[in-house]
Amino acid sequence: MALARPQVSRHRRSAVTRLFVAVTAACSLVLAGCSDGHIDVRSIPSVGWPSYGGVAGNANFAYADVPDDLALSWTRPTGGPVTAPVTISGKGNVGVTSNAAQGCNVLVLDGRSGRKNFCKDMRAGVEINAMLVDQYDQPYLGEETTFLAFNAGGAIRWRAGVIGVPLSAKFAAPNEVLVTTTQGQILLIDTQRNELVAPEVKLRDDADPEQPLLGFGDCVRNGPQCAIPAPAAVDTGRERFYLNFFPEGAASSQIRSMKYNKVGGKREVRTAWTADVPSGVVGTPTLSADGATLYAFSRDGKIVALNTEDGSTKWTQDIGGHGFATMTVSPDGLIIPTGSLGAPLTLYRDAGDRAERLWQRTDLATVSLSALTQQKTAWSVVRDAGKDTLSLVEVSTADGTTKRSLPLPNSAGFATGVSISYSGQVATATNLGEVYFFDSKANLG
């Protein structure tokens, strides 16, 4: 049966990489099953950086190569504070949400110029959403009481009623979008027909559809009134996702593993295991590329690595302070924790039974989530020494040396993350509401 539809109110890469990206993009735009000649129109994630964390598991890793002649292409103000990372679609369009008091608080910007493709004025809660984008450049976003699907031009395709405020959504399977809310509701929705593909789950009995912002203020500090304060990490291969979840009446939050495989031919969402992390969890869980390890921050300043089979602890690593939001993980096990504002840039490696610190740059005061690339480099936003301004820096993961530094003009505060498109463009946004987009000089007009 279709979901309720409430009314919305105002308020240079290697040749191998080039080939891989070209084939992936072509298949995404035309068909998902290239082998048998049948056109598959089911929605899947766009190539590039189509969701929170870049990929379903929140790893903040890009297979694209960033060009050597990267330069600032354009900047654009959003009109309000930005708290969620920006996304970049396969066509290079930048999706950003803000807490603008007037005008549009949702923008889709043309990567070539920064001009608006379209903008929307949505209700409270949209500012915590990083846009999810499919292969047709169609965005998916949530606001209080409602999750919405748009077409590439910004027209609403459908609305689904929810309890609370939806968090940044993820694809769980082709044509199936996973929606979790601040009040602990879980929905799997068919992206074409706006129908549930599994019975809804409510993880807490105190979920209140009459008070959509109940507990919303607790989400930033991971307080007990916010059932799910951060986006899920999704393993589409194993059909599992992982949540930072605060049980009703509990003293601290936990990691909860959820299955969503088919039982008797139908999807069913159910708990696989729970893991009580000492002192509780902060921020978003992050999944390793092989799906075997889940990383989370604890409130007592540690990275906790969990076995995804049963939730047992593999190792812990004290980083001297809790994580600000999430972390960055490469397929070969490199980890950059997102520390508190001004924390040094630090690189660890998962050694299986422990974490090895490879290097630390105490001279770099990080103020954003980082991104790792297949070029064996890391990108982050740092505060300029002795100034309030910020710069986008690239460092080598081999030894931490700086490869280049690109100023963010008229910047201040902190950045919400670094997003990298499939063609190597880089975007970031400051919390004060300015978007910065970098491209190859060869593409600049």
Side-chain angles (χ1 to χ4, degrees):
M1 115 186 298
L3 294 174
R5 302 179 182 182
Q7 294 298 311
V8 178
S9 62
R10 181 191 180 281
H11 186 96
R12 186 185 327 155
R13 65 182 68 127
S14 67
V16 173
T17 302
R18 282 198 301 270
L19 178 61
F20 171 80
V21 168
V23 171
T24 302
C27 288
S28 295
L29 292 171
V30 181
L31 51 109
C34 295
S35 59
D36 61 5
H38 290 91
I39 295 176
D40 190 339
V41 298
R42 295 180 301 171
S43 297
I44 58 174
S46 173
V47 295
W49 202 278
S51 65
Y52 183 97
V55 294
N58 301 326
N60 294 286
F61 180 86
Y63 285 97
D65 290 348
V66 179
D68 292 337
D69 62 344
L70 194 73
L72 182 63
S73 176
W74 52 263
T75 69
R76 185 178 185 109
T78 63
V82 174
T83 56
V86 304
T87 57
I88 311 177
S89 76
K91 295 182 180 180
N93 294 319
V94 178
V96 58
T97 61
S98 76
N99 197 17
Q102 296 181 337
C104 295
N105 53 13
V106 174
L107 301 169
V108 174
L109 307 174
D110 189 318
R112 296 165 296 184
S113 63
R115 293 181 178 177
K116 288 185 292 186
N117 288 346
F118 69 83
C119 73
K120 295 287 181 181
D121 182 13
M122 294 179 63
R123 291 186 289 180
V126 71
E127 69 274 10
I128 69 169
N129 274 242
M131 199 174 291
L132 173 65
V133 188
D134 69 17
Q135 78 272 38
Y136 305 111
D137 251 42
Q138 299 182 137
Y140 302 80
L141 275 173
E143 61 184 8
E144 59 169 312
T145 76
T146 313
F147 183 78
L148 301 94
F150 300 87
N151 68 18
I156 296 173
R157 294 166 51 219
W158 50 259
R159 303 180 180 97
V162 304
I163 302 173
V165 177
L167 300 154
S168 302
K170 297 292 182 78
F171 276 100
N175 235 48
E176 298 178 14
V177 64
L178 170 68
V179 180
T180 60
T181 77
T182 55
Q183 293 197 32
Q185 186 186 31
I186 300 171
L187 302 172
L188 274 176
I189 305 174
D190 184 305
T191 61
Q192 297 290 356
R193 297 177 296 174
N194 183 26
E195 294 178 354
L196 290 179
V197 297
E200 73 163 318
V201 172
K202 288 190 289 186
L203 294 179
R204 286 179 43 161
D205 292 333
D206 61 348
D208 188 350
E210 301 300 321
Q211 300 185 69
L213 296 180
L214 178 67
F216 186 66
D218 259 9
C219 293
V220 172
R221 63 185 185 90
N222 210 124
Q225 298 304 313
C226 184
I228 304 175
V234 182
D235 185 340
T236 57
R238 300 185 186 190
E239 297 184 322
R240 288 193 182 190
F241 59 91
Y242 305 90
L243 299 171
N244 172 359
F245 173 63
F246 218 120
E248 186 177 356
S252 60
S253 58
Q254 61 183 203
I255 293 293
R256 181 165 292 210
S257 171
M258 308 293 295
K259 297 179 181 180
Y260 62 93
N261 57 310
K262 291 184 178 179
V263 178
K266 296 183 179 180
R267 287 247 188 252
E268 182 178 305
V269 179
R270 60 199 188 281
T271 300
W273 50 258
T274 61
D276 291 320
V277 175
S279 78
V281 184
V282 175
T284 309
T286 304
L287 192 64
S288 64
D290 62 5
T293 307
L294 187 76
Y295 306 97
F297 284 116
S298 66
R299 280 192 177 277
D300 58 357
K302 295 180 175 65
I303 301 173
V304 180
L306 302 175
N307 186 325
T308 57
E309 286 301 313
D310 57 12
S312 60
T313 299
K314 291 185 172 183
W315 51 260
T316 64
Q317 174 66 46
D318 194 334
I319 62 171
H322 67 72
F324 175 67
T326 182
M327 63 192 83
T328 305
V329 179
S330 73
D332 55 353
L334 299 180
I335 303 169
I336 298 178
T338 307
S340 54
L341 294 180
L345 185 64
T346 308
L347 184 72
Y348 295 90
R349 173 183 287 122
D350 186 340
D353 59 352
R354 67 192 187 285
E356 298 176 338
R357 196 174 86 176
L358 301 183
W359 49 258
Q360 185 176 74
R361 288 285 303 273
T362 57
D363 60 318
L364 293 180
T366 60
V367 292
S368 84
L369 241 151
S370 299
L372 284 161
T373 76
Q374 70 167 8
Q375 294 170 296
K376 300 189 182 304
T377 66
W379 290 86
S380 191
V381 177
V382 303
R383 185 177 297 120
D384 297 329
K387 303 177 182 178
D388 293 327
T389 54
L390 311 177
S391 291
L392 176 69
V393 299
E394 180 189 30
V395 302
S396 167
T397 57
D399 55 13
T401 56
T402 299
K403 297 176 69 68
R404 50 184 154 173
S405 179
L406 305 170
L408 303 182
N410 304 311
S411 59
F414 63 88
T416 56
V418 178
S419 304
I420 302 174
S421 78
Y422 83 94
S423 58
Q425 301 150 320
V426 180
T428 190
T430 65
N431 68 301
L432 298 181
E434 193 78 14
V435 182
Y436 297 81
F437 190 82
F438 296 80
D439 202 350
S440 168
K441 289 182 180 178
N443 295 332
L444 303 184

